[in-house]
Amino acid sequence: QHQLSAVQAGGAFGLLARRTRTAELSGLWRFQHRWEADATRALRHGDPDALDTYAAHGRVHDGDHDTVLATALAAWRADTDAGLESLLIAADTDTVRELNARIRLDNITTGRATAAGVELWDGTTAGVGDRITTRRNDRTQRLQDGGHVRNGETFTVTAVHPDGSLDAHPARDAGSGEAPVNRLGRDASASIRIPSGYVAEHVELGYAITAHRAQSTTVDTAHVITGPGMAREHLYVAMTRGREANQVYVPLDRHDDLDEVHHTDAVGHGPVTGREVLERILATSGAEPSATEQLAPQRLTRQQVSARRPQDRDRSLAASRGPGRDGPGLTR
């Protein structure tokens, strides 16, 4: 219940976890460093002491929006160039789009992708060499390996066509070399022609993603950019994707709820820091309560009213009827 629930799933699972005897995993084997495994347990429960641990190991970075994004992108690029599988995770889709656009520009500048391409649903462009993500299951689009196009799958563009369609093959995992099959079991050499209608409505660049899409993924490193509206569950999921390292980047000028004038807090203690932003994120839960829990205060109020002494109820009833009325049709 400490992770992100499915969209519109409600709070029933959390209710069951809190009120019944449930089994929980006690061992953490994902992380290369024992300190990081321990820190994630504290992060999971909103313990701000975990932030000191991350900061002590150089995992917390803050600054203005442009600086933070540039720092995160440079770190992500260094990891991918070193053959590591790395994720860029952002708090919102606008930041995801901005990161994807910046990487696309860098790809063109460095020759990793062509400038000419096809326009995608969010206004960005994909050219040959770019990585894209499909956002809708489509069983009518069949790959040469017998599979079909799936929501959230990544492809590498191999050709673009004047009608807006494109050719692509399943993206290889970083560090896999010439391995013919990626971690999803896809034949990385299997090509597919993605029609223009699908490209225009259901394809986006596949470099940066949100925390919801990152959930259940395991990679070598993760670079997490926070933003307004981010809750503890988002931070916990994003900061537990990488085996070797998970870094968090805090754009101080984008957290308007913390700092509205010159990055100074309400009592004049000076500039807000990345740790302070993260502490407030940890204190904010985005978990949706169940209908049962939402109705509990109302039931309690009704029970309290019913439990009041009869003479108190009579006085309340008389007061609600106005002066001079003791009951239906009765006057003093």
Side-chain angles (χ1 to χ4, degrees):
Q1 73 264 27
H2 300 287
Q3 298 194 34
L4 296 167
S5 61
V7 176
Q8 297 181 339
F13 177 77
L15 176 68
L16 292 173
R18 287 185 289 273
R19 296 195 179 183
T20 63
R21 298 181 63 183
T22 56
E24 293 190 13
L25 296 176
S26 58
L28 290 174
W29 305 102
R30 171 177 291 164
F31 306 102
Q32 185 180 55
H33 306 287
R34 175 48 50 190
W35 71 262
E36 189 160 15
D38 294 337
T40 64
R41 290 189 175 95
L43 199 70
R44 175 185 182 188
H45 294 286
D47 184 351
D49 288 344
L51 303 175
D52 296 325
T53 304
Y54 282 104
H57 289 85
R59 300 293 184 82
V60 179
H61 315 271
D62 59 25
D64 63 78
H65 179 73
D66 287 338
T67 299
V68 160
L69 259 59
T71 303
L73 283 172
W76 172 83
R77 180 66 80 186
D79 285 348
T80 55
D81 286 348
L84 299 176
E85 189 173 7
S86 185
L87 283 180
L88 263 177
I89 305 173
D92 56 88
T93 55
D94 287 341
T95 305
V96 166
R97 187 180 300 114
E98 183 176 357
L99 289 166
N100 280 331
R102 290 192 182 204
I103 294 172
R104 159 76 176 152
L105 181 61
D106 181 66
N107 285 348
I108 296 172
T109 303
T110 57
R112 291 181 172 91
T114 61
V118 295
E119 186 173 349
L120 309 178
W121 77 270
D122 58 0
T124 58
T125 301
V128 174
D130 275 318
R131 176 173 287 206
I132 58 171
T133 298
T134 51
R135 301 296 295 127
R136 184 179 183 181
N137 293 326
D138 189 343
R139 294 183 178 276
T140 66
Q141 296 188 58
R142 310 296 298 183
L143 279 76
Q144 293 173 339
D145 65 358
H148 64 274
V149 170
R150 302 172 186 169
N151 177 28
E153 189 166 5
T154 56
F155 294 82
T156 300
V157 178
T158 57
V160 297
H161 302 284
D163 64 352
S165 63
L166 54 81
D167 295 341
H169 59 70
R172 281 192 175 89
D173 299 326
S176 64
E178 297 301 318
V181 178
N182 64 20
R183 61 187 170 86
L184 296 178
R186 290 295 209 188
D187 181 355
S189 65
S191 63
I192 186 173
R193 172 72 61 86
I194 303 178
S196 58
Y198 186 96
V199 170
E201 295 182 14
H202 306 299
V203 172
E204 61 190 42
L205 290 170
Y207 302 108
I209 59 176
T210 61
H212 271 97
R213 284 176 52 196
Q215 189 162 255
S216 81
T217 302
T218 299
V219 294
D220 297 315
T221 64
H223 301 276
V224 182
I225 298 96
T226 68
M230 195 173 199
R232 177 171 67 245
E233 292 79 8
H234 296 91
L235 185 64
Y236 171 67
V237 166
M239 289 293 288
T240 54
R241 299 304 95 200
R243 304 181 191 92
E244 299 182 17
N246 296 275
Q247 309 272 353
V248 62
Y249 305 81
V250 186
L252 300 177
D253 52 348
R254 290 298 176 97
H255 288 271
D256 297 334
D257 57 325
L258 304 175
D259 164 18
E260 295 183 358
V261 182
H262 303 301
H263 313 302
T264 302
D265 63 27
V267 292
H269 288 164
V272 173
T273 66
R275 190 201 184 284
E276 290 174 309
V277 173
L278 294 173
E279 186 169 346
R280 299 196 194 189
I281 290 173
L282 283 185
T284 305
S285 175
E288 185 177 355
S290 67
T292 299
E293 291 168 316
Q294 289 177 325
L295 291 173
Q298 300 176 30
R299 287 201 302 271
L300 182 60
T301 300
R302 289 196 294 269
Q303 290 169 359
Q304 290 172 336
V305 171
S306 299
R308 292 168 62 182
R309 292 179 303 171
Q311 57 267 37
D312 292 337
R313 291 200 302 271
D314 292 342
R315 291 194 192 101
S316 297
L317 184 60
S320 67
R321 289 169 175 157
R325 297 295 297 273
D326 290 328
L330 297 177
T331 61
R332 289 191 180 92

